[in-house]
């Protein structure tokens, strides 16, 4: 009877060890899965941050390009206006010179 009790006790201990080993293995897998999910989440956040930074850089580049184009367009308009004004001034100068020459000849 003592032999049977010892054998039952040993079986119970072995079964308990087996359950504990299984639980430890399951805990390890759960911990590893959690670490892997955390790592994937961190990588996702890093990718999102990178995309936001790249988008902001592209927005700044677009803004700078647009500002540059607007500045060059304004400069071109100013040059065209200056050329037109210079043409008017040249026409007025020629008319005045011609009128002065005509008045000089008449007198």
């Amino acid at each position: 009877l003592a032999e049977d009790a010892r054998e039952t006790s040993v079986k119970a201990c072995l079964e308990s060890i087996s359950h504990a080993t299984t639980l430890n293995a399951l805990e390890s897998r759960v911990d590893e899965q959690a670490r892997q999910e955390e790592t994937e989440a961190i990588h996702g956040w890093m990718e999102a941050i990178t995309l936001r930074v790249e988008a902001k850089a592209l927005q700044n580049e677009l803004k700078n390009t647009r500002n540059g184009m607007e500045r060059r367009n304004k400069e071109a308009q100013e040059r065209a206006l200056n050329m037109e004004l210079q043409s008017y001034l040249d026409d007025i100068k020629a008319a005045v010179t011609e009128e002065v020459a005509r008045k000089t000849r008449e007198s």
Side-chain angles (χ1 to χ4, degrees):
L1 189 63
E3 184 68 29
D4 285 343
R6 204 173 322 131
E7 191 176 310
T8 301
S9 177
V10 168
K11 283 182 182 178
C13 284
L14 289 175
E15 192 173 308
S16 177
I17 291 170
S18 175
H19 286 310
T21 303
T22 301
L23 286 176
N24 284 341
L26 286 174
E27 286 176 351
S28 292
R29 277 193 241 150
V30 167
D31 288 346
E32 179 58 32
Q33 180 69 29
R35 278 192 294 276
Q36 185 176 357
E37 288 174 1
E38 287 174 358
T39 300
E40 289 172 2
I42 290 169
H43 285 226
W45 296 332
M46 289 171 53
E47 186 175 339
I49 290 168
T50 300
L51 290 174
R52 283 189 199 122
V53 168
E54 289 174 355
K56 188 64 176 173
L58 289 173
Q59 284 177 333
N60 287 338
E61 186 177 333
L62 178 60
K63 179 182 173 187
N64 291 339
T65 300
R66 184 181 305 127
N67 288 343
M69 290 175 66
E70 289 173 356
R71 186 187 74 248
R72 285 188 293 278
N73 189 26
K74 183 179 177 184
E75 289 170 354
Q77 289 174 346
E78 288 175 357
R79 281 192 303 274
L81 182 59
N82 285 339
M83 288 173 56
E84 188 175 344
L85 289 174
Q86 187 61 51
S87 176
Y88 288 142
L89 288 174
D90 291 345
D91 290 347
I92 292 169
K93 184 178 175 183
V96 168
T97 301
E98 185 179 314
E99 185 63 23
V100 167
R102 186 179 66 76
K103 292 275 187 186
T104 302
R105 284 191 304 273
E106 289 177 358
S107 52

